[in-house]
Amino acid sequence: MVAAARRRPSLGRQKIEIRRIESEEARQVCFSKRRAGLFKKASELSILCSADVAAVVFSPAGKAYSFGHPSVELLLERFEAPEGQVHVQGEGVGGEGQSVVAELNRQYGDLRAMLEAEKARREEVEEAMDKERGARSQVLAWVEAEVGGMEKEELMAFGAALSVVQHGVATHADQMLRDAMVLGRMSRAVPQGLENYYFHLLQTGQGHTAGAGAGAGDRLF
Amino acid sequence: MVAAARRRPSLGRQKIEIRRIESEEARQVCFSKRRAGLFKKASELSILCSADVAAVVFSPAGKAYSFGHPSVELLLERFEAPEGQVHVQGEGVGGEGQSVVAELNRQYGDLRAMLEAEKARREEVEEAMDKERGARSQVLAWVEAEVGGMEKEELMAFGAALSVVQHGVATHADQMLRDAMVLGRMSRAVPQGLENYYFHLLQTGQGHTAGAGAGAGDRLF
DNA sequence: CGGACTATAATTAGATC
DNA sequence: TGATCTAATTATAGTCC
């Protein structure tokens, strides 16, 4: 401490947003630290609560790291065990949606745990989202209007379908646009300002059957 | 202030040793809290570092919870493949996974992979379900979170797809639900938000298990 | 990449409703 | 069983080795 002004050793931990870290280096450092932290948490959980826990992590580079008690393989096997798979026996078209809903509810049961976790993150995201405007708010407004008139049953189906849609969008945005065009006669309610893009990108398209993925939810969805 | 000495509201967090919690009740509470925390950490890791992460937890009662990005099953498949991976098993009950973690961190050879191209990473997304408001707001909340992280291009596709979905739902809500159940085996495409915290509920032993979820075929729409 | 360090952001044990 | 609250324990972002 010779110099008069001693440089502060560190600013201490800084708050960061939960979004991809752009800096290659920082991302790598963070990966190492958090991976270790995750495994530690997993370990503590298994010990404190006598629970079996397995965690697998693939680094961006492709390396695989894992933690498992009793062993990853064993747990994964148990997890994949088809013994629990639900078999929607002959989707007896005769049944009414209601029974399906009931079945769904039963299946998801404790899925509520997930909502719990999501809630936490949602709050953070919500904040950052306030700044966003533009096309986003348009889509939202549109959805809000549409959803507003749906019945529970429809809402569940909608939610399920959204799950699938979202994934497709994130993965193949362009292709999605084309497919969507072909499949739907999107002549109807389309967020303003977005319709132009549809036509703009429309070219070819082979229709696909829409499949919905169930979202999640204790009793809805 | 009635009494002279006001009892302190709480002693605050207490330090605990990492060993099986004897109290049945305390153990259950701890399990819930830490399970949520673990999944959150897993989610953050996957987002911050664009890493693929999967975690499976079996409660002492036998229920299985899981988190996976992109999906547990997809990652498990990859994990099974004999690549240059390193895994460790924690001893959980009775052991201290701590040292194991340290060892794991050290274990890394120098294998690079080709998985890098596969990450269709996304940004932050979270969904919160306000049970108080009903399914409607849940769907909205999800969409809200989803849309917030999309790029313009994705947004366009999303908007396009939405109109199609909306139409389909309004017309065949029941059927869509059914399709969702049959098609979705809750594996591949668990969309963000629902995807990030995509928990799977299993019941070792009896009853049926959950398996549903999102995941239409390889392509959706 | 794994450690070490500092100061601060997050998590969560314990008790309550 | 879940949500809250308080206070203390942990996890870590940033930086250097």
Side-chain angles (χ1 to χ4, degrees):
Chain A
M1 64 316 244
V2 189
R6 176 96 77 89
R7 185 188 49 135
R8 212 164 301 276
S10 160
L11 291 173
R13 181 176 179 171
Q14 310 279 303
K15 180 184 177 67
I16 63 170
E17 278 186 79
I18 302 301
R19 68 162 38 125
R20 178 191 169 80
I21 294 174
E22 294 307 327
S23 165
E24 179 78 39
E25 188 183 345
R27 191 167 63 242
Q28 173 53 49
V29 172
C30 177
F31 178 73
S32 292
K33 287 185 175 181
R34 280 175 175 268
R35 170 164 47 73
L38 180 72
F39 287 144
K40 185 181 178 189
K41 288 286 189 184
S43 170
E44 296 182 341
L45 175 61
S46 73
I47 296 172
L48 288 169
C49 310
S50 293
D52 289 341
V53 181
V56 180
V57 177
F58 285 86
S59 71
K63 276 197 204 169
Y65 300 83
S66 72
F67 165 82
H69 164 70
S71 83
V72 181
E73 291 80 3
L74 221 54
L75 294 183
L76 299 193
E77 220 174 281
R78 226 206 287 179
F79 179 75
E80 293 185 312
E83 66 179 84
Q85 286 301 308
V86 175
H87 291 135
V88 182
Q89 49 261 159
E91 50 237 62
V93 187
E96 57 252 274
Q98 215 59 52
S99 62
V100 176
V101 175
E103 186 58 36
L104 261 180
N105 287 330
R106 200 166 313 151
Q107 283 182 55
Y108 286 81
D110 236 31
L111 207 49
R112 189 179 331 191
M114 145 190 169
L115 305 183
E116 200 180 303
E118 295 201 344
K119 180 183 175 184
R121 286 284 241 58
R122 222 275 263 190
E123 289 170 4
E124 293 174 35
V125 178
E126 227 167 25
E127 190 180 343
M129 261 209 340
D130 279 317
K131 307 169 189 173
E132 308 282 341
R133 289 290 150 72
R136 264 158 227 189
S137 53
Q138 280 184 51
V139 172
L140 280 180
W142 176 74
V143 173
E144 196 161 38
E146 290 297 342
V147 170
M150 291 186 195
E151 290 308 314
K152 183 175 182 181
E153 239 179 282
E154 295 182 304
L155 280 171
M156 291 191 282
F158 189 63
L162 284 184
S163 299
V164 181
V165 172
Q166 194 286 323
H167 178 71
V169 171
T171 310
H172 313 294
D174 319 310
Q175 190 58 50
M176 275 291 292
L177 260 176
R178 282 186 218 102
D179 293 345
M181 284 295 296
V182 181
L183 277 181
R185 356 255 265 146
M186 353 203 43
S187 44
R188 131 194 186 82
V190 167
Q192 291 205 338
L194 296 180
E195 64 272 39
N196 295 318
Y197 290 85
Y198 306 153
F199 295 102
H200 186 59
L201 295 179
L202 176 58
Q203 293 176 14
T204 23
Q206 37 276 31
H208 297 302
T209 315
D218 175 38
R219 31 194 64 186
L220 16 135
F221 264 80
Chain B
M1 61 236 325
V2 195
R6 179 96 77 85
R7 186 183 48 133
R8 209 161 305 274
S10 163
L11 292 173
R13 180 175 181 173
Q14 308 281 301
K15 180 184 178 70
I16 63 169
E17 280 187 68
I18 302 301
R19 68 170 42 136
R20 178 192 170 79
I21 294 174
E22 294 307 326
S23 164
E24 178 77 37
E25 188 184 342
R27 192 166 63 243
Q28 173 55 48
V29 172
C30 178
F31 179 72
S32 293
K33 287 186 177 182
R34 279 174 176 268
R35 171 162 49 72
L38 181 71
F39 287 144
K40 187 181 178 193
K41 288 288 187 185
S43 171
E44 296 183 341
L45 175 59
S46 73
I47 295 171
L48 289 169
C49 311
S50 291
D52 290 340
V53 182
V56 180
V57 177
F58 285 86
S59 72
K63 279 188 186 176
Y65 301 83
S66 72
F67 161 84
H69 171 83
S71 84
V72 178
E73 293 166 4
L74 214 54
L75 293 183
L76 299 195
E77 255 178 60
R78 220 197 289 172
F79 180 74
E80 305 276 336
E83 213 49 63
Q85 45 186 252
V86 287
H87 51 271
V88 182
Q89 30 188 334
E91 12 286 305
V93 191
E96 72 302 290
Q98 229 95 348
S99 59
V100 176
V101 175
E103 190 171 4
L104 170 63
N105 291 327
R106 191 173 306 180
Q107 282 185 53
Y108 64 84
D110 190 328
L111 277 190
R112 196 177 313 169
M114 61 301 179
L115 306 171
E116 177 139 35
E118 162 152 26
K119 61 185 167 188
R121 120 240 174 258
R122 286 214 52 266
E123 301 217 303
E124 67 190 70
V125 171
E126 266 359 353
E127 139 189 73
M129 310 273 209
D130 283 32
K131 281 178 276 188
E132 303 176 61
R133 295 194 199 160
R136 194 157 300 139
S137 58
Q138 287 185 51
V139 171
L140 278 178
W142 178 71
V143 173
E144 196 172 51
E146 287 299 343
V147 172
M150 289 187 197
E151 293 306 319
K152 187 172 184 180
E153 202 179 0
E154 295 181 305
L155 209 51
M156 298 300 142
F158 191 64
L162 279 186
S163 63
V164 178
V165 172
Q166 192 282 326
H167 181 60
V169 170
T171 311
H172 311 293
D174 296 354
Q175 190 55 52
M176 281 197 80
L177 262 178
R178 246 172 252 126
D179 290 344
M181 288 198 62
V182 179
L183 285 178
R185 219 203 81 218
M186 197 155 205
S187 42
R188 358 226 117 155
V190 180
Q192 274 293 314
L194 292 179
E195 145 247 278
N196 257 327
Y197 286 102
Y198 148 30
F199 296 57
H200 194 136
L201 172 60
L202 272 183
Q203 245 179 276
T204 58
Q206 58 179 325
H208 37 290
T209 309
D218 305 297
R219 326 185 93 226
L220 37 161
F221 279 86

